[in-house]
Amino acid sequence: MASLVDSPAAIIGLWIAGGLFTITQALVLAELGALFPSAGGMYVFMRQGFGERMAFVYGWTFLLVNPAAWATLATLAAEYLGPLLGVGDGHRRLIAMALIVGFAVANSYSTVLGAALQNMATAAKLTALAALTGLIVAFAPGGQGAFAHPGIGQPLAVSGILAAFVAVLWTYSGAAGFCALAGEVRDPQRAVPRALIGGVGLAMALFLTVNIALLYVMTVPEIAGTPLAMSEAVGRVVGPIGGTAMAVTVVIAALGSLGGIVLSDPRVFFAMAQEGHLFAKVGAVQRVSLTPVYAIALHAGLGCLYASSRTFDQLAATFVLGFMPFYALAAVAVWRLRRTRPDLARPFVAPAAAWLAVLWVVVSAALVVDALIETPEVAVLNVLISLSGLPVFALWRRWSTPAQR
């Protein structure tokens, strides 16, 4: 973000805009999740809202694009672990792949174990980020950071703002993944809306606090010039030990998020296989652990492939841009289902559904078009992956056997 927009006010404004925008997504997903509380999340919403073909296209895109999310978080953790372990870039890719495999094994062994690891990492990262951010605010000398030296600044380019917004949306992207676990949540009609809206609100408060503290200590060009900005910021305030502590905190934060999506994402494959849109073996639940072992292994393998070949920025953009059109369709589905299936009991009703649909369609279109112009190597691949799902669906329906379904 700091390399795309050189204004601290613009950076903070983008974090606020991203949080508010994601809250609108949480409202949409809360209504859909309460309506259809079953494993699969967005895959189920696409099927209910637009039919079997669109559900398959989403699942196909999920199969090929979503492992980038696993690779992004593992790569982030490896970037901060690298200096701590004294290893180079090549070994950091190996570390990222090892982290993906480790979490996949834990979640294959036991959902309870996977959830416990994720909960511990989440509690640790919230506590550590709050403590270290408090240290910055309490002990950092004034007059050094971006707020004291905002600079003249250049006029903000629309392409730069949109690219920075993609980075913000990546950090808020956990809401849709949580819906895939709705079938395994107690009282999902009440729990899903509360978790979605409360979770996004908490994330927004945390991100704003951390970024304000960072900009209090460092200027925007300084942030843009280092890949380990938070470690450097804390190191300036409390010395090398503090920088090391922040690096460990970022690793824990990344691993906590990785644990969450490793727990939820394979449920989409499970739902696809149950619907006959993927080989039945992929959706099979292991008899002892009661986990979708094959789905987890498939996703982990693709995640390792991404981690071995792409940078952090490419991975984040691949994930966000790949799913923005489907998130827009989810908003349209809420509006559409109210008209086509008004008989459904709705435990939660999203306000202003039509306006939410318009908002998501417009913003998604703007981000995808800008990406096609600015980063065509990422955007074109995503578009081709999604479009290729249409002929694959036709072939699958024609040639798959009942046993495969």
Side-chain angles (χ1 to χ4, degrees), residues 95 201 211 376:
I95 292 173
N211 278 273

Side-chain angles (χ1 to χ4, degrees), residues 200-228:
V200 173
L202 177 61
M204 183 178 176
L206 179 64
F207 294 152
L208 280 172
T209 302
V210 169
N211 278 273
I212 289 171
L214 178 61
L215 290 165
Y216 184 72
V217 175
M218 299 176 68
T219 65
V220 175
E222 287 174 336
I223 296 170
T226 174
L228 309 176

Side-chain angles (χ1 to χ4, degrees), residues 222-236:
E222 287 174 336
I223 296 170
T226 174
L228 309 176
M230 284 303 295
S231 291
E232 185 169 332
V234 176
R236 290 186 182 188

Side-chain angles (χ1 to χ4, degrees), residues 68-129:
W70 294 30
T72 308
L73 289 164
T75 298
L76 175 61
E79 284 293 327
Y80 275 81
L81 270 174
L84 297 176
L85 301 177
V87 299
D89 290 340
H91 289 92
R92 292 176 198 178
R93 291 185 184 273
L94 293 175
I95 292 173
M97 290 187 281
L99 291 172
I100 292 172
V101 172
F103 273 90
V105 170
N107 279 275
S108 297
Y109 177 75
S110 168
T111 297
V112 174
L113 174 60
L117 289 174
Q118 195 265 336
N119 288 337
M120 286 190 293
T122 298
K125 77 180 179 183
L126 289 174
T127 303
L129 282 172

Side-chain angles (χ1 to χ4, degrees), residues 152-239:
I152 299 175
Q154 300 295 322
L156 297 178
V158 173
S159 61
I161 293 173
L162 292 176
F165 196 55
V166 168
V168 171
L169 292 180
W170 174 76
T171 68
Y172 284 113
S173 61
F178 170 75
C179 291
L181 289 169
E184 302 168 64
V185 174
R186 291 195 188 98
D187 192 12
Q189 283 81 6
R190 296 180 61 189
V192 170
R194 289 181 178 180
L196 285 169
I197 298 169
V200 173
L202 177 61
M204 183 178 176
L206 179 64
F207 294 152
L208 280 172
T209 302
V210 169
N211 278 273
I212 289 171
L214 178 61
L215 290 165
Y216 184 72
V217 175
M218 299 176 68
T219 65
V220 175
E222 287 174 336
I223 296 170
T226 174
L228 309 176
M230 284 303 295
S231 291
E232 185 169 332
V234 176
R236 290 186 182 188
V237 177
V238 294

Side-chain angles (χ1 to χ4, degrees), residues 235-253:
R236 290 186 182 188
V237 177
V238 294
I241 294 178
T244 301
M246 178 51 77
V248 173
T249 299
V250 173
V251 171
I252 293 172

Side-chain angles (χ1 to χ4, degrees), residues 225-316:
T226 174
L228 309 176
M230 284 303 295
S231 291
E232 185 169 332
V234 176
R236 290 186 182 188
V237 177
V238 294
I241 294 178
T244 301
M246 178 51 77
V248 173
T249 299
V250 173
V251 171
I252 293 172
L255 294 182
S257 298
L258 178 61
I261 61 175
V262 171
L263 182 67
S264 64
D265 289 348
R267 271 62 184 174
V268 176
F269 293 161
F270 172 80
M272 287 182 68
Q274 294 293 98
E275 293 289 330
H277 291 159
L278 202 61
F279 291 104
K281 191 72 172 178
V282 177
V285 174
Q286 211 275 338
R287 286 183 297 177
V288 177
S289 65
L290 300 179
T291 58
V293 174
Y294 300 103
I296 293 172
L298 176 61
H299 222 58
L302 291 170
C304 288
L305 183 62
Y306 271 116
S308 68
S309 59
R310 290 201 167 192
T311 65
F312 176 86
D313 291 339
Q314 290 172 330
L315 290 168

